[in-house]
Amino acid sequence: MELLIREKLLALYIALLILDPGLLRRSPWLLKPDTLCSLATLFIASRAAELSGLFSRVSVTIVRRFSEMPFMLYAMVILSAGLTAMLITNDAALFIYLPLVASIERVWAVDLLPLYVMTTIGVNVHSALTPIGNPQNLFLWQHYALGFTEFVVGLAPFTDVATALLLIYALALATRVERCSKPPPPLPVRVNRVLAASSVAMLVALVTLTHLSVS
Amino acid sequence: MRSWRRGAQQLSEELARRAIEAVKAALPYVVAGPPLIHRGPAGELHVDVPLMYHGFALDRIHCDPVAKTPSPKGRPAHVYGVEVRREEVVEVMQRVVRELRVVEAAEFRDPEDAWMVPLAWRLYIVAHVKVSYEGSELVPDYGLTEEVRRYVA
């Protein structure tokens, strides 16, 4: 019972099985092994990068430099997450930047809930600019046989407006960030280089193989 | 191995001093992590509490759940037939962490290329903090960090 309370999707699945017993037979065909493998790889790479101390290291640098300028910190995280999403898809970018925001929050000791939300929105907004930014764009790009530049130029006005609105909103939110009484931590932790390199290599391999398989 | 790569660079008291100062600066950010309660094959329990620095474990402190004090490093207290209350351990260890002080001396471990700076609670050395050769970064115990995360999750 405890398991069902914790695993809500499993509970939902059992409820659906009661309503539709034939679902059990069809279930294996509903699974997408490729997607599951990609997500598992992303989880592992993201967790490994976090555990290697890489995010902590970057967070200490960011907080030291921008703790007095919350808007700059917000803008930098949102825009770099967006730029990453344009190149490696929105989902993969979120797997990198949400743990980074969590790490910044831990180092800075301030509530960064708005930054989590803004990063998620930013990643989706910016990923819309390029054909490889998200799966929908890939589909549209291939379906309409558009050139890369043509695609980007066509979508640039929308993403530019969305980016401007996002930054204005970030400015409004960043002014409300409570200043932490504690100074940023004096020392970073040593990065576990093997783990960090493995996670980056895994991510690069995943993105490359995904792009190759769809092109 | 690293020392060989450094060639002529030598250890000095100045480097040891830097490592000690680094630990002193980091100590206010160190907190007690979740207690790790291990049960041995004969039913004995021993309790370790990790020292956490921004989500990374630096070392573990052995906790004696009967005496409600830390044990000296190297001698974990094994207890039998005692029910360990997690909240009580946390409370004791939070107080202990506030009372930790940095010992003004360091050892150097060549294979790890790092200084080991002892932390003392009263007259016991209870933990070590590992600091890089030049004193610019703390070296977490990655194995312990994984254990903490597995345990908590």
Side-chain angles (χ1 to χ4, degrees), chain B residues 59-110:
Chain B
D59 198 3
R60 62 180 85 214
I61 295 184
H62 305 307
C63 180
D64 183 337
V66 178
K68 297 184 176 46
T69 59
S71 309
K73 190 158 182 64
R75 195 178 187 289
H78 295 273
V79 293
Y80 293 86
V82 174
E83 189 167 340
V84 177
R85 285 184 51 237
R86 193 171 284 276
E87 308 77 45
E88 198 173 55
V89 175
V90 170
E91 202 179 297
V92 168
M93 293 312 293
Q94 281 174 343
R95 179 174 48 78
V96 166
V97 168
R98 283 197 299 272
E99 294 173 6
L100 289 176
R101 64 187 168 79
V102 180
V103 177
E104 297 274 342
E107 66 174 275
F108 190 76
R109 293 196 185 161
D110 211 22

Side-chain angles (χ1 to χ4, degrees), chain A residues 47 50-53 56-57 106-107 182-193, chain B residues 2 22 25 28-29 53-56 112-113 132 136-140 142 145-146 149:
Chain A
R47 195 70 175 150
E50 202 265 320
L51 198 58
S52 72
S56 174
R57 184 74 178 226
R106 197 162 46 224
V107 167
K182 234 179 183 180
L187 293 173
V189 292
R190 179 184 281 178
V191 174
N192 182 338
R193 292 193 180 95
Chain B
R2 286 284 195 83
Y29 297 87
Y53 177 79
H54 292 294
F56 290 87
E112 296 162 70
D113 195 37
S132 60
S136 63
E137 52 191 15
L138 299 186
V139 183
Y142 285 106
T145 304
E146 281 179 44
R149 294 186 189 198

